[in-house]
Every structure is written in C-alpha cells, then in structure tokens.
Amino acid sequence: MGKVIVVTSGKGGVGKTTSSAALGAALAQNGEKVVVVDFDVGLRNLDLVMGAERRVVYDLVNVIQGEAKLTQALIRDKRVETLYLLPASQTRDKDNLTPEGVEQVIAALKNAFDWVICDSPAGIERGATLAMRHADVAIVVTNPEVSSVRDSDRIIGLLDSKTLKAENGERIEKHLLLTRYDAARAERGDMLKVDDVLEILSIPLLGIIPESMDVLRASNVGAPVTLADGRSAPALAYFEATRRLKGESLPVTIPGDKRSFLGKIFGRKAA
Amino acid sequence: MNLFRFFSRAQSAPAARERLQVLLAHERAATGDSDLVNKLRDEILKAISKHMQVDDEKVSIKMERGAQVSTLAVDIEIPFDAGKKAA
C-alpha cells in the first residue's frame, strides 16, 4: 500500500509544482514507484515542469468521469522508468472533481504505487481540499516571506480539520519545506530565518531549498531539478528531503550555517 | 554613500517575524479552537471531581494568547470539606 502525500501551501507561486516534480523524481531515482498527480484543474502545469506536455492524452477529470481508464491517463516518464504523471484537465471546470471520484482514483493509485504525490492548487477551495483529503503526509511549501507564512498557517489549520485522517481523530503528519531561501539575505536580516518560520508554524522541517537559478533552468527544459542537474544545490536539498520523508533522521543543513562552511572544506557542496 | 546606506538601514526580518506572530495568534484564536478553553475546562473539572467535589461556579478558567506564549489559568475554590464528600 503506497503513501499519499499532498504538497500544499495556500499561497500560489511558492514552489508546489516544482517541489512535487523534484520530490517525485528524487524518490523514483532511488527506485521507488512514484506517481505525481496534478490537482490544479484548469491551470495544469506539472506536465510542463516535468516535460510531458506534449504527451497528455487523457487526464484526471477524464478518469473521474469514466471517459478513460486510469492506465490510459498515466504518463510514464522517459528518463526514470518508475516515475509516472497523472495530469490535470486544462479545459474542464474544477467542479468536475468529485469527492467520490477522487477517492476511487487515489485508492487505485495507492495499490499500484509506493508514493502518490498530490500537487495541490493554490487557494483553499475545492481543488485544494480534495488534494489534501486522502493524504497520509502533508508537505507545506513555504517561502520565508510574510504572506506565504500566513497562508501556510491557514493551510495547517485545514489539514488538521478537513482531511480524512483528522476527521477520524488521527494526526496527519505535516512537514515544512522552506523554499527560495536566500542565506545571504537572511544573514543580513532582510529575510525571515529558518528558525523564525519554524517557531511560527511549529511543524518539523523536511528541508530547505535554496533560491537558485537551477530551478528556473530546470523548468525551462522541462525536467525536475533533481534530473536536470543532480549535483546542483536545490537538487541535493530535494534528495535529502526525500530521505527524511522515508524516515531517515538526517540533520538539516541550514544554508549559511557555520557547518556548511566546514562542509565546503571537506568537499561537500553546501546545500 | 552606498556603504553608508548598507550599514544604516534597519533590518526588516524582525518586523516580519513580530507582525506574523501577533497576527497569527489572533487568526488562530478566531478559527477552530475557540472552543478549546471550554473543552479544557470540562476535562480539568472532570479530573478534579474524581477526587473531590467542586462547585462549577467556583471555578474560573482564563486563557491569554500572547506573541510568545499562551497561558491557561485555572482557579478552583476548594471547600473545606471537599475531600470528605468525595470519599
């Protein structure tokens, strides 16, 4: 039985899709069977970020409406053979996502994959609540910036009340993924520091993805950043995050930390 | 000139942090767990009444949310003969 993960944030543009693609690819690069599901009906982009935009025939809505079989809608990645994408519909309305339909699709995917990664749309409407509904684990993507932190706080509240796990009185596992972190600006005192965000949101840290040109470069060519350049700083940070996701207790290197300086001396690339 | 501006400019991150802490303390109170105080009150009372009889009216529970910490103050008047009645 696979694990269902929702990548969510409330605010748009913080890196949900980039992170869904990168984490999914990183897991698959380690041999896990992964499907990344785009829940952003009407504004799909995961296909583009993963470089599969020209291979979309059927989508999530087609499957839910019974117009296509799940196996027909799944797109297998050309670079990593255990990585699959289930695209969102670009033309249909998000009202076509029904709770029952989503439940059936997720149940089928859980049976066939080790990891089901749900890329949530921004906002707190139907698409976002359905994306988080069946999750075992939530990854809250946050930028070190006031509006993003506020929206993440709101999303954490929804995760604790609107998910199936929460309704059954269980705790949903939540992790913070801090993206677009600029160590130099944080050091100068012009960006919230890692500890500030952690203290405010008080959920465990999954990883810190440094602000980097490599992320844009990867999306330009349609490859998850872990595939585009596996040695780049954001890719290494995503690889580490997936190890933590799998339960490994791996200390988080805070960019700009004194330890990363030591890391440089010993030849490791600072994340 | 630039160097001067660089050193004289105040840091903005502490302001962000403080504004968020105050805002979220209020937003969290407004949504969801406004009912928390009542729940805690009932459960604390239940726990105490296992050991002694207390008058519901003589219990005051206050919750205060600050930027750094929240406090829950429980003030219970225990009658002189409370222990006897429970036994």
Side-chain angles (χ1 to χ4, degrees):
Chain A
M1 214 46 164
K3 244 189 184 175
V4 182
I5 294 181
V6 62
V7 178
T8 185
S9 71
K11 192 177 184 300
V14 296
K16 283 181 298 298
T17 301
T18 301
S19 297
S20 298
L23 293 170
L27 283 165
Q29 281 167 277
N30 284 314
E32 309 266 331
K33 206 173 172 201
V34 184
V35 60
V36 194
V37 187
D38 192 347
F39 272 83
D40 205 345
V41 174
L43 289 171
R44 77 165 172 233
N45 275 319
L46 190 59
D47 54 335
L48 199 53
V49 169
M50 291 180 73
E53 71 277 11
R54 295 196 296 175
R55 299 169 63 205
V56 177
V57 183
Y58 293 113
D59 56 56
L60 177 62
V61 169
N62 291 136
V63 176
I64 286 176
Q65 302 279 313
E67 296 153 356
K69 284 184 185 155
L70 187 54
T71 46
Q72 293 177 302
L74 287 171
I75 301 170
R76 185 190 206 146
D77 192 90
K78 287 197 165 167
R79 298 148 296 204
V80 190
E81 61 173 23
T82 55
L83 179 62
Y84 288 76
L85 161 71
L86 181 55
S89 169
Q90 183 69 333
T91 49
R92 302 291 192 86
D93 193 85
K94 63 180 183 301
D95 292 341
N96 285 299
L97 284 183
T98 61
E100 303 75 28
V102 170
E103 186 179 350
Q104 279 170 16
V105 170
I106 297 286
L109 291 174
K110 265 175 93 163
N111 273 326
F113 291 90
D114 300 321
W115 300 87
V116 181
I117 299 180
C118 304
D119 180 21
S120 171
I124 51 171
E125 307 285 313
R126 191 187 187 92
T129 49
L130 280 176
M132 69 169 68
R133 182 109 187 113
H134 303 277
D136 300 305
V137 179
I139 296 176
V140 181
V141 182
T142 307
N143 290 168
E145 178 270 327
V146 287
S147 53
S148 174
V149 175
R150 180 201 211 172
D151 291 359
S152 292
D153 190 74
R154 185 79 203 282
I155 280 290
I156 290 169
L158 289 181
L159 287 165
D160 285 332
S161 60
K162 292 283 172 68
T163 53
L164 264 184
K165 278 216 154 183
E167 285 175 9
N168 291 334
E170 293 170 63
R171 277 191 91 95
I172 177 160
E173 206 182 298
K174 298 177 292 281
H175 299 279
L176 177 71
L177 188 65
L178 197 60
T179 53
R180 310 199 68 163
Y181 190 75
D182 187 329
R185 286 163 78 182
E187 208 45 62
R188 248 184 281 139
D190 277 331
M191 183 180 263
L192 286 166
K193 290 194 174 179
V194 178
D195 286 342
D196 293 336
V197 182
L198 281 177
E199 191 194 324
I200 291 166
L201 295 178
S202 57
I203 57 173
L205 184 62
L206 185 71
I208 304 164
I209 312 301
E211 168 81 63
S212 162
M213 269 302 295
D214 295 300
V215 173
L216 180 61
R217 205 173 290 145
S219 79
N220 284 343
V221 299
V225 69
T226 54
L227 277 170
D229 181 1
R231 301 289 307 155
S232 65
L236 293 174
Y238 278 118
F239 278 123
E240 279 191 15
T242 56
R243 285 169 65 189
R244 288 185 202 103
L245 203 54
K246 287 201 274 185
E248 217 175 299
S249 76
L250 192 68
V252 180
T253 328
I254 295 175
D257 225 16
K258 288 192 181 80
R259 262 174 300 153
S260 70
F261 174 64
L262 275 181
K264 275 182 199 158
I265 292 175
F266 292 110
R268 274 194 294 123
K269 208 166 177 180
Chain B
M1 182 62 190
N2 270 341
L3 202 65
F4 176 72
R5 269 185 60 198
F6 180 79
F7 283 113
S8 64
R9 204 178 50 172
Q11 298 190 342
S12 60
R17 181 193 144 103
E18 213 176 294
R19 288 176 57 224
L20 271 172
Q21 279 173 331
V22 173
L23 171 74
L24 294 181
H26 287 280
E27 284 190 346
R28 284 172 190 155
T31 55
D33 59 333
S34 55
D35 184 55
L36 178 68
V37 180
N38 284 333
K39 267 190 211 157
L40 283 174
R41 178 177 169 272
D42 288 349
E43 280 178 31
I44 290 170
L45 272 179
K46 213 191 274 175
I48 291 168
S49 62
K50 271 188 213 158
H51 303 285
M52 61 180 75
Q53 205 163 23
V54 284
D55 188 348
D56 274 14
E57 304 287 307
K58 302 270 167 73
V59 179
S60 102
I61 298 183
K62 277 185 202 157
M63 181 114 154
E64 210 167 288
R65 284 169 206 275
Q68 301 290 329
V69 285
S70 292
T71 56
L72 178 73
V74 185
D75 195 341
I76 306 171
E77 230 176 82
I78 300 171
F80 187 63
D81 56 349
K84 274 187 231 158
K85 278 184 185 170

